[in-house]
Amino acid sequence: MHLSHDNDAPAADPITFDDFLKVDIRIGTIVEAEPFPEARKPAFKLKIDFGPAIGMKKSSAQIVARYAIGELPGRQVAAVVNFPPRQIGPFMSEVLTLGFADEEGAVILFAPDRAVPNGSRLF
């Protein structure tokens, strides 16, 4: 599912601005985080509030290496909200929570450095 995390990898092939606009990346606030012991790779199940237009969505996130489950509620995160839902074991993930790999390959969540309204779109 993931491309190379190699920092020295070249940039991906060029896309058009219209291609970029097709990817709907929004900010939401995690309202609930639960263990996901059935996942093949360690993960949490998240419930994220994207505001009134999009609502609550579920996501599986492989972030257990850098985040304690108790610190996640209240945290804002960025996610792709217009991918089709994806079955991950017994769980249906509705959005792709975004992050970057740190120097050890663990996922660091992508989020604004100041609070923004839930549902705000990346541009």
Side-chain angles (χ1 to χ4, degrees), residues 28 32 36 42 45 48 50 53 57 61 66 71-72 81 89 105:
E32 190 175 300
F36 189 10
K45 295 187 279 188
I48 306 169
F50 290 98
K57 298 291 181 180
R66 295 291 182 259
E71 72 182 271
L72 294 169
V81 299

Side-chain angles (χ1 to χ4, degrees), residues 62-108:
Q62 296 173 3
I63 57 173
V64 300
R66 295 291 182 259
Y67 298 93
I69 201 164
E71 72 182 271
L72 294 169
R75 181 182 193 96
Q76 286 196 303
V77 294
V80 176
V81 299
N82 65 330
F83 281 152
R86 183 174 182 168
Q87 189 75 44
I88 301 175
F91 183 74
M92 184 64 72
S93 188
E94 300 172 304
V95 298
L96 176 64
T97 304
L98 300 175
F100 292 92
D102 67 10
E103 63 282 341
E104 296 173 9
V107 177
I108 304 300

Side-chain angles (χ1 to χ4, degrees), residues 24-27 48-57 81 95 119-120:
D24 193 351
I25 299 173
R26 304 284 182 116
I27 291 297
I48 306 169
D49 180 2
F50 290 98
I54 295 172
M56 296 283 192
K57 298 291 181 180
V81 299
V95 298
S120 294

